Amino acid sequence: MHSPVAPVPETARTIRVMKFGGTSMGTTPERMRAVAERVAGVRRAGHPVVVVVSARGATTDELVADARTTSSAPPAREMDQLLATGEIASAALLAIALNDMGVPACSLTGAQAGIAASGPHGHGRIASIEGTRLRDALRLGTVAIVAGFQAVDPVGNVVTLGRGGSDTSAVALAAALGAATCEIYTDVDGVYNADPRIVPDARLLARVSSSVMAELACSGARVLHPRSVELAARAGVGIHVRSAFSDKPGTIVMSNGEDMLESAHPVTGIAHDTDVARIVIRPGSLTHRGLELFAALAEAAIAVDLVARVGDRDIGYGWDFTIARTHVDALREVLARLECEADIHESVAKVSLVGAGLLSQPEATGRMLAALGEAGIEAYSVSTSQIRTSFTLAKAHCGRAVGLLHREFELDRPAQERTADALTAV
């Protein structure tokens, strides 16, 4: 017999916002019950609980495949209607499991939770969260389970938030409800300083600043979506990345105001992305120095990275940049419309060193290029910022490059055992 769960008064800073990804939710009754047990334990400890869930397992991919076999060009609105059902099903199943344990719970769609969005279908951005229904549930002691990845537009249509949208949903709800931290439960122990699948000596980061985490996420680390990290930093919400399969401490992503201004070790982590293409626009192919190109890319929702201008007034201007390889077909359409010639290299990858104060410690870039050169690995294009140094290279060399740079910057050792890098005098 289950012990009763009494209503608790809502105290903003005791609210627990917990997000579970698709792998964490699983596709078996055992996985669903394990998630329910974890949530029930938090609720029975006296905390108001909001849970955000992703679609289970590969549900979203299966729904996309179903749509593609039905139509070669399914309407964007109907795709959002379809894809939102994966998270809705997860939320309902978790609510059923919790109620079966004697823990009052109710599932809510994004619209029922009061999450409003603007922007196009498939790429919505959260505009506001009304939240009355959520707060009412919490006052009654009910666990509110929200379907992630989705919101509603001003005319009542479902709008999905794009890849990683459930992370963004969870952080936005934590901010709206005044929670100090958003807990992200995933299938890894936390955030590592490199991908442990290709770097066996990768180390778990106990704490990482929001600025560094955002760059790691943008550069290919898949643990968190960059939009969720950026939103958390703006809202002053911490993120706690934890394993859904163990009680390990995980990684704390520190919100704004907690970042270290300088560090003796310039590199915190290394990220890589193999889903990229390098685009080289030949000098003289464009008029107006490329303004029309980047306007057209923005209109087509094609994000660019590692942008560099090449050429001059005499020979004309060209551009070198990267895009997601999934956007190559859309890019070709833009180039054809502008009658622009370009070389498109798809067998490339992007590797990024990420850490606080990289630009003020230029020796890091020198060490990176020297290590690559000694290993016979060519860096095609290089771009630097205060917290990121990125380069493109042949995709075949990506894993080897990540491993050798991980060793070069002693990321295989605890921070306190690394050789101190002299800080540039101010």
Side-chain angles (χ1 to χ4, degrees), residues 47-67:
H47 296 282
V49 183
V50 175
V51 182
V52 178
V53 294
S54 297
R56 305 171 73 198
T59 298
T60 300
D61 291 339
E62 292 166 359
L63 291 172
V64 170
D66 287 344

Side-chain angles (χ1 to χ4, degrees), residues 35-123:
V35 171
E37 290 279 9
R38 188 182 287 267
V39 173
V42 173
R43 176 60 192 87
R44 288 185 174 127
H47 296 282
V49 183
V50 175
V51 182
V52 178
V53 294
S54 297
R56 305 171 73 198
T59 298
T60 300
D61 291 339
E62 292 166 359
L63 291 172
V64 170
D66 287 344
R68 297 299 181 192
T69 58
T70 303
S71 168
S72 60
R77 179 191 181 277
E78 303 311 321
M79 285 298 294
D80 275 1
Q81 289 281 109
L82 175 66
L83 297 182
T85 63
E87 279 72 16
I88 293 170
S90 286
L93 286 167
L94 183 55
I96 290 169
L98 283 165
N99 279 289
D100 189 59
M101 295 176 180
V103 177
C106 67
S107 63
L108 300 170
T109 65
Q112 290 169 339
I115 305 174
S118 59
H121 287 289
H123 300 282

